[in-house]
Amino acid sequence: MDNSPAQEPQGAQPAPLLKKEPAPAPVTDLAAELRASDADRERIAELLRDAYAEGRLTVDEHAERIEAAYTARTFGELEPLTRDLPSHPGPIRHNLSKPPLDAPGPAPKPALPPARAEAPTMVAVFGGAARKGRWRVGSHLKAVAVFGGVEIDLTDAVFESPEVVIEVIAVFGGVEVRVPENVSLHGGGTGIFGGFEVREQTSADPYAPVVRIKGAAVFGGVEAKPRRGKKLKEWVRRQLDG
């Protein structure tokens, strides 16, 4: 038995040595390093509010992510906040080139009607008074109902203050207050031969407005509660330091 090594046929070229390719350099997502704007942060915060309303986030998770959204400086810090949500916009991809001059621009959004300026006092005596729609609400509002009714609807109002105090007096009358479901509602009053009901709630958004109800109902009724399905989108948000 011949154990000698096999001889290569004459004229055959030796097999070339394979060169080891260098490992590819890590890819840096330059878009994630871009600075985020207030509009970008607000867009992520709105997605988080919707996720909380749908029961996808707990109160603590929502508060923690909202805090992170408003303190985020770059797109890379914003993107992970909604990564596990169905509403996640996907990986950040930005086209840094300018569109051609003849390219059609985005369709303009329909302009909202201007918010009305209203007096800080509402009075109904042997009659009724109502305030609803887009109106500007300040830090203090007073409602008096005597043998009449007052309706205060804040669901479409534009809040000019982070806290609104509503002072209510109902004598042989009634006052009804409705607030959006994503604001905080607190307070209470005295009912003398009448009822004073405030369905308190605390918003998961620490920067949402706070509505406080106080006063008295004598032979009358006062009711304040959130209106489900109505969310406030215009308010004064307290800016974080840094």
Side-chain angles (χ1 to χ4, degrees), residues 38 41 63-73 206-207 237-242:
D38 285 341
R41 285 184 279 268
E64 180 180 354
R65 296 192 190 194
I66 283 287
E67 181 86 11
Y70 285 138
T71 56
R73 297 180 182 273
Y207 307 107
R237 177 170 64 83
R238 179 168 60 86
Q239 299 289 337
L240 293 174
D241 295 333

Side-chain angles (χ1 to χ4, degrees), residues 48 52 56-68 81 202-206:
L48 294 174
Y52 172 73
R56 302 183 190 277
L57 297 176
T58 65
V59 174
D60 293 338
E61 289 173 337
H62 180 263
E64 180 180 354
R65 296 192 190 194
I66 283 287
E67 181 86 11
L81 300 178
T202 300
S203 174
D205 188 343

Side-chain angles (χ1 to χ4, degrees), residues 49-145:
R49 294 186 193 104
D50 292 340
Y52 172 73
E54 295 168 358
R56 302 183 190 277
L57 297 176
T58 65
V59 174
D60 293 338
E61 289 173 337
H62 180 263
E64 180 180 354
R65 296 192 190 194
I66 283 287
E67 181 86 11
Y70 285 138
T71 56
R73 297 180 182 273
T74 64
F75 287 107
E77 296 174 359
L78 283 176
E79 186 174 347
L81 300 178
T82 57
R83 183 173 294 161
D84 58 349
L85 301 176
S87 57
H88 180 58
I92 299 173
R93 294 293 180 265
H94 295 275
N95 182 11
L96 301 181
S97 61
K98 294 184 179 180
L101 295 178
D102 57 350
K109 295 182 179 180
L112 293 174
R116 307 186 313 272
E118 299 282 1
T121 301
M122 298 179 64
V123 179
V125 180
F126 289 99
R131 191 167 295 176
K132 59 183 66 178
R134 282 178 54 80
W135 59 286
R136 300 202 301 266
V137 56
S139 60
H140 188 269
L141 182 65
K142 185 174 183 178
V144 179

Side-chain angles (χ1 to χ4, degrees), residues 119-191:
T121 301
M122 298 179 64
V123 179
V125 180
F126 289 99
R131 191 167 295 176
K132 59 183 66 178
R134 282 178 54 80
W135 59 286
R136 300 202 301 266
V137 56
S139 60
H140 188 269
L141 182 65
K142 185 174 183 178
V144 179
V146 180
F147 290 98
V150 173
E151 179 185 359
I152 302 174
D153 190 345
L154 299 174
T155 55
D156 291 318
V158 177
F159 282 63
E160 296 185 331
S161 173
E163 181 174 282
V164 180
V165 177
I166 302 179
E167 185 179 354
V168 177
I169 299 176
V171 180
F172 290 98
V175 177
E176 181 182 30
V177 181
R178 294 291 180 267
V179 303
E181 66 177 3
N182 57 338
V183 306
S184 296
L185 177 62
H186 299 292
T190 303

